[in-house]
Amino acid sequence: GAGVSQSPRYKVAKRGQDVALRCDPISGHVSLFWYQQALGQGPEFLTYFQNEAQLDKSGLPSDRFFAERPEGSVSTLKIQRTQQEDSAVYLCASSPSAVLKNIQYFGAGTRLSVL
Amino acid sequence: AQTVTQSQPEMSVQEAETVTLSCTYDTSESNYYLFWYKQPPSRQMILVIRQEAYKQQNATENRFSVNFQKAAKSFSLKISDSQLGDTAMYFCAFATGNQFYFGTGTSLTVIP
């Protein structure tokens, strides 16, 4: 596709449910990032992949958060046993190379609401 | 620790006028990049302008320019000839290594 695609656009979950958020990066992009954006805040880094390797997961807030990119393209962010504080917009970004990983193209995000 | 501070939560400007958005950052890194991103209501972050820290010359992209003061750790964005389509949240961001750090944003409204 022409840009970074994220699905679903909106997700409502009951507290305690597991959710999976999908990111389709721009074709051929090596680097992929996940961010969490709380209401009224800037995005906060969660994790970074270079191809299928998760090189940095220091931003994941707890062990309930898990991200994967098994074939180096599509990535999934999974949140287990969701809690109200997980409510946020989750943004995905991709970048054409590891060297140019600071040039990021963002998706429109998934808005997660935990009730 | 890296931090990015945007001290203006909201700003407004008359159409066709010029506005400057402020950003300061704190880091001990010597090699980094600075960005301004625009986030309209559609939520998609759009890169406005990018500055490498090792370059002294201020970046310019059409109506958008920056004033990069490395010693002061300041990185302001100037928008000239403001247009209605410039209405959005603007985020200042700092990148080093694998990580990006964003400020809390400035909501800019362009008034017709």
Side-chain angles (χ1 to χ4, degrees):
Chain A
V4 178
S5 178
Q6 292 188 246
S7 61
R9 189 113 160 97
Y10 300 92
K11 176 70 179 177
V12 178
K14 291 184 179 178
R15 190 171 54 184
Q17 280 185 332
D18 297 348
V19 298
L21 312 180
R22 177 186 170 105
C23 173
D24 281 88
I26 294 172
S27 179
H29 276 199
V30 167
S31 298
L32 186 145
F33 299 78
W34 283 98
Y35 296 87
Q36 180 189 59
Q37 186 176 18
L39 187 65
Q41 301 294 316
E44 291 194 4
F45 170 83
L46 293 177
T47 188
Y48 162 64
F49 289 86
Q50 184 175 313
N51 295 308
E52 69 278 4
Q54 189 174 21
L55 298 187
D56 190 336
K57 55 181 182 179
S58 61
L60 296 176
S62 77
D63 59 5
R64 295 186 296 104
F65 287 71
F66 171 76
E68 60 183 5
R69 195 186 184 198
E71 296 178 359
S73 56
V74 171
S75 177
T76 303
L77 176 66
K78 297 179 179 178
I79 309 173
Q80 297 176 326
R81 303 180 304 281
T82 53
Q83 301 181 5
Q84 284 189 319
E85 60 261 31
D86 300 334
S87 295
V89 173
Y90 290 85
L91 296 170
C92 176
S94 70
S95 183
S97 75
V99 174
L100 297 174
K101 61 181 180 291
N102 54 77
I103 301 175
Q104 299 192 7
Y105 300 84
F106 282 81
T110 294
R111 183 180 296 280
L112 173 65
S113 299
V114 181
L115 305 179
Chain B
Q2 272 68 236
T3 60
V4 179
T5 302
Q6 294 179 251
S7 58
Q8 304 153 314
E10 296 181 359
M11 292 192 72
S12 61
V13 62
Q14 290 291 136
E15 193 176 5
E17 297 295 309
T18 295
V19 64
T20 299
L21 308 183
S22 300
C23 174
T24 58
Y25 60 94
D26 189 21
T27 183
S28 57
E29 301 286 338
S30 58
N31 186 25
Y32 53 88
Y33 296 83
L34 294 162
F35 306 82
W36 279 97
Y37 277 89
K38 170 184 176 182
Q39 188 177 42
S42 66
R43 295 203 307 253
Q44 190 145 12
M45 300 279 278
I46 302 164
L47 179 64
V48 173
I49 199 164
R50 172 177 176 258
Q51 174 85 41
E52 291 95 337
Y54 62 85
K55 288 188 177 179
Q56 292 186 337
Q57 186 172 6
N58 289 325
T60 299
E61 287 287 341
N62 300 315
R63 299 183 293 108
F64 300 89
S65 62
V66 299
N67 183 5
F68 174 44
Q69 302 289 329
K70 190 171 184 178
K73 296 181 181 175
S74 170
F75 183 63
S76 61
L77 174 70
K78 186 171 81 170
I79 306 174
S80 303
D81 186 26
S82 297
Q83 300 176 1
L84 296 179
D86 295 335
T87 292
M89 282 291 290
Y90 286 81
F91 290 96
C92 177
F94 165 97
T96 184
N98 296 327
Q99 298 199 12
F100 263 53
Y101 301 88
F102 286 83
T104 52
T106 295
S107 177
L108 176 67
T109 300
V110 179
I111 302 167

